[in-house]
Amino acid sequence: MSPEQSAARSVPVRPFRFTTSMPALDGPVSRWRDEIRRIEDLGFSSVSISDHFTGGWAMDALVAMTVAAEATTRLRVSAMVFCNDFRHPVLLHKSLANLDVFSGGRVEVGLGAGWLRADHDAAGLPFDPPGVRVERLAESIEVLLGLFGDKPVSFAGRHYQVAELDGLPKPVQRPHPPLLVGGGSRRILELAGRRADIVGVNPRLAPDVDPLAAVDEMSPERFARKVAWARDAAVAAGRDPATLEFQLRMFDVRVVHRGVEHRASSSHARLADPAALASSPSVLHGSVDECVDRLLAIRERYGVNYLHLGGNLDAAAPIVARLAGR
């Protein structure tokens, strides 16, 4: 069976959901809160934040999620994604369980193995080989999910040890807030298929990854293979792959709306060969109608319904207005 066939089998049609990045903290906090409320009013399902120390990064993910939840009434809050190495899972659970209670059940848990070595180096944290970081992430997920459960947790792993700890408070969302695991490697995506609720499909990211190589990884064939890794791992773990939700961040968005082109481009897309972008599922170009049709086709082909269209609200808003909840 080809990756395309494996990715497409029994693909459920889920309603579209959209997330966007939190605005930068570069002005009055009142304006920041107004932008968060605008995101809610435009129909986005969630607002998400990256988790970094370096590169001029100002916001702490947990604090920003808390403030965003307080500023809104319906909007879900998420990290895309927490770097597992920055927080012990017991501490992360405590923060997220509290936030789920205080927000009335609006937390999504995004977790990854970490990819930006500069963050680790700046904080004096070891940047272990990928296999070690993924192994540690897998243990962290077991601890985190266990603590969201009803019974005290004991865990004895290579990286974490927990003794008869009852995770409190119990979250509003049961059995736990949705868990998103994102990455680009086969090992991460298979872990997501086994344990996550939401699979974030990405290229492999690292400071030394050639931008063109990253875009090539998101070609139709390779993207289908990534989806298939997660779905096949779910089957092998005794899970129904139809329960998985798939999330995708667009590399390059160019939407023509009312005669004006609005753009949202990642650094990878800006440096890549335009020919490599043309067929990628992670690229969205055209009129609003053309973009809507393309996203419908991507959902039909791969089962992807949860989308990040970049940080330009003017580019994303007309598409969200057409497709959110549909």
Side-chain angles (χ1 to χ4, degrees), residues 5 20 38 47 68 106-107 167 181 197 221 237 268 275 281 287 291 320:
Q5 292 170 322
T20 191
R38 181 187 175 207
V47 64
R106 290 189 282 138
V107 168
V181 173
D197 304 290
E221 181 182 39
H268 290 89
S287 67
C291 291
V320 172

Side-chain angles (χ1 to χ4, degrees), residues 29 32-33 36 62-72 77 99:
V29 174
W32 189 91
R33 287 190 172 94
I36 292 291
L62 281 165
V63 172
M65 288 168 63
T66 301
V67 177
E70 281 290 287
T72 56
V77 293
L99 184 52

Side-chain angles (χ1 to χ4, degrees), residues 33-45 71-75 313 317 320-321 324:
R33 287 190 172 94
D34 287 343
E35 279 295 291
I36 292 291
R37 294 185 187 104
R38 181 187 175 207
I39 289 166
E40 178 175 64
D41 291 343
L42 287 172
F44 285 86
S45 172
T72 56
T73 58
R74 302 179 307 278
L75 193 67
L313 294 182
V320 172

Side-chain angles (χ1 to χ4, degrees), residues 44-97:
F44 285 86
S45 172
S46 68
V47 64
S48 51
I49 185 168
S50 297
D51 190 27
H52 296 295
F53 300 143
T54 56
W57 196 255
M59 290 187 291
D60 173 80
L62 281 165
V63 172
M65 288 168 63
T66 301
V67 177
E70 281 290 287
T72 56
T73 58
R74 302 179 307 278
L75 193 67
R76 300 177 69 78
V77 293
S78 176
M80 286 194 179
V81 290
F82 288 114
C83 176
N84 182 62
D85 286 351
F86 296 168
R87 300 168 188 84
H88 193 286
V90 168
L91 299 178
L92 183 61
H93 163 267
K94 180 65 74 175
S95 297
L96 293 174

Side-chain angles (χ1 to χ4, degrees), residues 18 20 22 26 31 67 70 72 93 132 158-159 172 189 199 212 214 261 266 269 299 301 306 319:
F18 295 90
T20 191
M22 291 192 187
D26 57 3
R31 187 176 70 191
V67 177
E70 281 290 287
T72 56
H93 163 267
V132 175
R158 177 182 174 189
H159 304 280
V172 171
L189 291 167
V199 180
L212 183 56
E261 184 180 71
S266 71
R299 184 176 64 176
R301 188 172 184 180
Y306 194 10
I319 297 170

Side-chain angles (χ1 to χ4, degrees), residues 32-262:
W32 189 91
R33 287 190 172 94
D34 287 343
E35 279 295 291
I36 292 291
R37 294 185 187 104
R38 181 187 175 207
I39 289 166
E40 178 175 64
D41 291 343
L42 287 172
F44 285 86
S45 172
S46 68
V47 64
S48 51
I49 185 168
S50 297
D51 190 27
H52 296 295
F53 300 143
T54 56
W57 196 255
M59 290 187 291
D60 173 80
L62 281 165
V63 172
M65 288 168 63
T66 301
V67 177
E70 281 290 287
T72 56
T73 58
R74 302 179 307 278
L75 193 67
R76 300 177 69 78
V77 293
S78 176
M80 286 194 179
V81 290
F82 288 114
C83 176
N84 182 62
D85 286 351
F86 296 168
R87 300 168 188 84
H88 193 286
V90 168
L91 299 178
L92 183 61
H93 163 267
K94 180 65 74 175
S95 297
L96 293 174
N98 272 264
L99 184 52
D100 198 60
V101 170
F102 281 118
S103 69
R106 290 189 282 138
V107 168
E108 293 180 4
V109 182
L111 199 57
W115 64 273
L116 188 58
R117 181 171 193 136
D119 283 338
H120 288 70
D121 290 346
L125 298 171
F127 190 68
D128 290 320
V132 175
R133 282 181 280 123
V134 174
E135 179 184 74
R136 189 158 50 237
L137 172 64
E139 287 192 11
S140 182
I141 289 170
E142 295 307 312
V143 173
L144 194 66
L145 294 182
L147 290 171
F148 280 125
D150 295 324
K151 300 177 180 179
V153 173
S154 291
F155 183 87
R158 177 182 174 189
H159 304 280
Y160 302 108
Q161 294 80 42
V162 179
E164 285 297 306
L165 180 60
D166 192 10
L168 298 173
K170 298 306 177 185
V172 171
Q173 299 179 91
R174 305 311 305 264
H176 54 78
L179 171 65
L180 181 151
V181 173
S185 71
R186 179 168 187 162
R187 191 168 179 181
I188 282 284
L189 291 167
E190 288 181 340
L191 173 60
R194 292 192 302 271
R195 299 302 284 145
D197 304 290
I198 307 166
V199 180
V201 184
N202 303 311
R204 290 179 300 111
L205 294 176
D208 58 349
V209 170
D210 173 42
L212 183 56
V215 173
D216 282 344
E217 268 203 42
M218 301 297 274
S219 68
E221 181 182 39
R222 293 186 182 183
F223 187 82
R225 184 178 298 123
K226 289 173 184 284
V227 171
W229 286 339
R231 294 178 66 81
D232 290 346
V235 172
R239 302 181 71 192
D240 180 358
T243 64
L244 296 176
E245 184 173 30
F246 285 88
Q247 185 268 335
L248 170 64
R249 178 168 187 153
M250 291 290 172
F251 271 152
D252 194 55
V253 176
R254 304 177 193 176
V255 180
V256 178
H257 181 51
R258 296 175 179 170
V260 178
E261 184 180 71
H262 302 282

